Amino acid sequence: MDADGGQLGVLSLREALSLAEEKHLDLVEVAPQAKPPVCRIMDYGKFRYEQSKKEKEAKKKQRVITVKEVKLRPNIDDHDFDVKTKNAVRFLKDGDKVKATIMFRGRQIVHPELGRKLLVRLAEEVADLANVERTPKLEGKNMIMILSPKLQPQQTEQQTQPQQPSQPQE
């Protein structure tokens, strides 16, 4: 293929290299597994530069999701639970995942149902903002549940529908 995207046909390696040299361009192998291999005449430096610019643009647009942790105890008071729930809501609204951990001490571990109840209660409190990605599971002396944020329906509607100018009322 030539620099404009047109097909040159099947050429020997020497012919293709001489064509590339005449145009002061590079011969780049595009599909080595094809029979015969497909090569393109192009400015390889310019191609690499454009690729790196595209990658940088893609990096700017991507959102890094971090995991924030909320730690609880099985015998937590209601007010303390509300504070932890508010923190989880804040994290979810920021677009982060939330790892809710119940830490058992000593003999508390014989009552894992208390921790499970607490995590289910937390999941119900934030049900409008989050999906349960991983259900409560006991790992050693900790019970862990992971919540991931839901996409807000208002955000998706705003992104898909263009803004219409408001008309003055008479």
Side-chain angles (χ1 to χ4, degrees):
M1 299 180 75
D2 65 355
D4 302 326
Q7 296 214 2
L8 298 174
V10 180
L11 301 173
S12 69
L13 180 61
R14 288 179 190 207
E15 290 174 21
L17 281 172
S18 64
L19 267 174
E21 280 183 20
E22 285 175 17
K23 296 180 181 182
H24 301 291
L25 297 173
D26 304 311
L27 182 66
V28 180
E29 192 174 30
V30 179
Q33 57 273 29
K35 296 288 180 194
V38 179
C39 296
R40 171 178 264 161
I41 296 174
M42 67 167 77
D43 186 355
Y44 189 67
K46 182 179 176 183
F47 173 75
R48 291 280 298 155
Y49 174 73
E50 287 172 357
Q51 289 287 44
S52 67
K53 285 195 75 137
K54 285 179 188 175
E55 287 173 8
K56 285 181 185 177
E57 268 311 301
K59 269 189 180 180
K60 284 181 187 176
K61 292 179 183 175
Q62 78 182 16
R63 168 82 168 97
V64 177
I65 296 176
T66 56
V67 179
K68 302 282 188 162
E69 188 171 18
V70 176
K71 291 188 175 187
L72 308 159
R73 298 253 174 213
N75 55 351
I76 191 169
D77 284 337
D78 288 337
H79 180 265
D80 296 334
F81 179 79
D82 293 340
V83 170
K84 298 290 185 177
T85 304
K86 282 182 186 174
N87 286 338
V89 166
R90 181 169 45 104
F91 296 149
L92 289 166
K93 283 184 178 176
D94 289 345
D96 298 323
K97 289 185 179 183
V98 175
K99 177 180 175 183
T101 305
I102 304 276
M103 299 178 297
F104 294 101
R105 265 200 201 145
R107 293 184 188 146
Q108 292 175 339
I109 196 72
V110 296
H111 297 289
E113 69 277 358
L114 296 175
R116 191 173 308 279
K117 256 196 237 177
L118 207 56
L119 289 176
V120 168
R121 183 175 154 203
L122 177 68
E124 288 171 357
E125 297 258 339
V126 297
D128 55 328
L129 293 172
N131 295 323
V132 177
E133 187 173 294
R134 195 165 117 201
T135 56
K137 184 177 178 186
L138 193 61
E139 294 179 358
K141 290 190 173 188
N142 297 331
M143 186 175 284
I144 296 171
M145 175 179 69
I146 297 179
L147 302 167
S148 60
K150 283 184 183 176
L151 273 176
Q152 308 298 331
Q154 308 123 5
Q155 288 178 348
T156 54
E157 287 175 18
Q158 288 175 356
Q159 290 171 356
T160 56
Q161 296 177 354
Q163 292 283 344
Q164 296 177 355
S166 60
Q167 298 173 354
Q169 295 179 351
E170 295 177 21

